Amino acid sequence: MSGQSLLVPGELSPTRSVPGNIRRPEYVGKPMPTPYKGAEVQDAETIERMRVAGRIAAQAMEEAAKLIAPGVTTDELDRVAHEFMCDHGAYPSTLGYRGFPKSLCSSLNEVICHGIPDSTVLRDGDIVNLDVTAYIGGVHGDNNATYLCGDVDEESKLLVERTREALSRAIKAVRPGRQVNVIGRVIESYAKRFGYGVVRDFTGHGINSSFHSGLIIPHYDSPHATTVMQPGMTFTIEPMLTLGTHEYDMWDDGWTVVTKDRKRTAQFEHTLVVTGTGAEILTLP
């Protein structure tokens, strides 16, 4: 296990601007989004627009990840992703979502999710999760991945590799006619082989014109996740695996979620559409 000191909040830079010609999601400037009341199954035209949004989100994440190195701030990663999305006509979905102040989430080491980019400087040996969502054409595309910064210890490397594999296995389990709890069953059974915790309270979600539609995709085997997958259904799978407990604490910022035992955690995510035979990944660069 890495001997890194625990993270503390840094200083926020001013809110980044988005060109006025870029369409905003309806929730920008509101305390919360309007509840989604549409269908979870999307038509072909909506799915095509989601491919565009997903591709931009994936490319923005790749561009930001190129900068990951000791000495770089998480705010700089945010700047790169923000500018890439704006340059491609997309709005950074997290910016202004329920008051979130930045254009991506940067979650390091013991941060499970929703870390806020700030003056925090990346250190040699950190693991860095970037979560990037783009809104364009009236729809969202959401993805994340965990990256290695410098010389990372073997235990953390394996956690990252196995979390990526957990997502891959979960995607392969998607089939029309199956209940969504098969996704969590696959993730949890794989994680248990290594003694990893599986975060329960933060899940995958339906996504389309709504950032979070109300459909829940647990990453553990939940008996309540009985929604049956259908062709055209769009959602994210985003397992969060931990070296210790799945329990968590939240920082005073109301966003940053850290493991209760402060052990490391990794996450990977794709936006998917259910096809006639499986799943298509919509967040490919």
Side-chain angles (χ1 to χ4, degrees), residues 52-114:
V52 174
R55 183 168 61 248
I56 291 172
Q59 291 172 338
M61 186 173 71
E62 278 194 341
E63 288 302 307
K66 289 176 183 177
L67 272 72
I68 291 175
V72 175
T73 66
T74 55
D75 187 67
E76 181 67 4
L77 304 180
D78 181 79
R79 181 191 65 79
V80 170
H82 176 95
E83 291 180 358
F84 184 93
M85 284 185 273
C86 291
D87 287 348
H88 289 79
Y91 185 92
S93 300
T94 59
L95 184 62
Y97 179 77
R98 295 181 180 267
F100 192 84
K102 293 295 174 182
S103 298
L104 58 72
C105 299
S106 55
S107 302
L108 281 55
N109 301 337
E110 70 269 21
V111 179
I112 294 171
C113 57
H114 304 159

Side-chain angles (χ1 to χ4, degrees), residues 40-256:
E40 299 295 347
V41 172
Q42 308 304 310
D43 60 27
E45 190 268 339
T46 301
I47 292 166
E48 180 55 35
R49 286 186 282 123
M50 290 183 68
R51 287 190 186 97
V52 174
R55 183 168 61 248
I56 291 172
Q59 291 172 338
M61 186 173 71
E62 278 194 341
E63 288 302 307
K66 289 176 183 177
L67 272 72
I68 291 175
V72 175
T73 66
T74 55
D75 187 67
E76 181 67 4
L77 304 180
D78 181 79
R79 181 191 65 79
V80 170
H82 176 95
E83 291 180 358
F84 184 93
M85 284 185 273
C86 291
D87 287 348
H88 289 79
Y91 185 92
S93 300
T94 59
L95 184 62
Y97 179 77
R98 295 181 180 267
F100 192 84
K102 293 295 174 182
S103 298
L104 58 72
C105 299
S106 55
S107 302
L108 281 55
N109 301 337
E110 70 269 21
V111 179
I112 294 171
C113 57
H114 304 159
I116 301 174
D118 58 19
S119 61
T120 297
V121 176
L122 301 182
R123 303 165 296 182
D124 187 55
D126 283 342
I127 59 173
V128 183
N129 179 268
L130 300 182
D131 193 335
V132 180
T133 310
Y135 177 80
I136 188 172
V139 295
H140 301 268
D142 185 4
N143 69 159
N144 78 55
T146 304
Y147 301 89
L148 309 181
C149 181
D151 185 16
V152 175
D153 67 278
E154 189 64 21
E155 185 179 39
S156 297
K157 283 182 182 177
L158 287 172
L159 174 68
V160 170
E161 290 172 10
R162 289 165 177 167
T163 306
R164 182 190 292 111
E165 176 64 16
L167 173 60
S168 177
R169 289 174 180 233
I171 292 171
K172 290 174 183 173
V174 172
R175 291 283 188 284
R178 289 181 174 176
Q179 294 181 346
V180 297
N181 57 14
V182 70
I183 294 167
R185 190 175 308 135
V186 166
I187 292 168
E188 188 173 41
S189 63
Y190 179 70
K192 279 183 174 178
R193 288 168 48 182
F194 310 105
Y196 295 155
V198 180
V199 172
R200 290 171 168 248
D201 290 349
F202 301 91
T203 67
H205 53 89
I207 185 170
N208 38 65
S209 60
S210 172
F211 195 171
H212 299 86
S213 72
L215 173 65
I216 301 298
I217 309 294
H219 301 123
Y220 64 99
D221 188 3
S222 169
H224 306 295
T226 56
T227 301
V228 175
M229 291 182 272
Q230 304 173 57
M233 188 178 283
T234 50
F235 54 80
T236 71
I237 304 177
E238 45 188 296
M240 292 151 261
L241 305 187
T242 68
L243 290 176
T245 183
H246 68 268
E247 296 180 348
Y248 67 91
D249 294 318
M250 186 174 288
W251 283 3
D252 291 343
D253 61 22
W255 284 104
T256 306

